Amino acid sequence: NIRVNCICPGSTHTPMLRNEAHQLGKPEEQFLAESAQRPLQRVGCPEEIAQAALYLASDASLFVTGIALVVDGGGLAGSR
């Protein structure tokens, strides 16, 4: 009775994302705007990733196992 699932977050507005801009030598605002180029036209917020974790930890997902739950605002779906 052990379930194994994975959350695959996309660009999420955290200090880590802003730090990535600095590591790449890009202006933060430009990097964030480029990161928002996905079907939902924005980066995610930490609470949205937490909601996915809460779902997987809840009774609503009792029969869910072996999935990679992509939480990325459609970024992967919109890739070409």
Side-chain angles (χ1 to χ4, degrees), residues 1-76:
N1 286 334
I2 296 174
R3 297 181 298 133
V4 179
N5 296 297
C6 174
I7 296 174
C8 306
S11 296
T12 306
H13 202 281
T14 63
M16 183 187 292
L17 185 63
R18 292 188 298 278
N19 187 44
E20 185 178 351
H22 296 292
Q23 288 177 5
L24 295 172
K26 290 189 173 187
E28 190 174 308
E29 292 306 314
Q30 175 191 348
F31 185 76
L32 291 174
E34 291 171 359
S35 296
Q37 295 304 307
R38 57 193 65 249
L40 292 184
Q41 295 296 302
R42 63 181 180 81
V43 297
C45 64
E47 294 81 7
E48 291 168 315
I49 307 306
Q51 288 295 323
L54 286 172
Y55 163 70
L56 289 175
S58 76
D59 287 348
S61 69
L62 286 176
F63 203 57
V64 176
T65 191
I67 65 156
L69 180 57
V70 179
V71 184
D72 71 349
L76 185 62

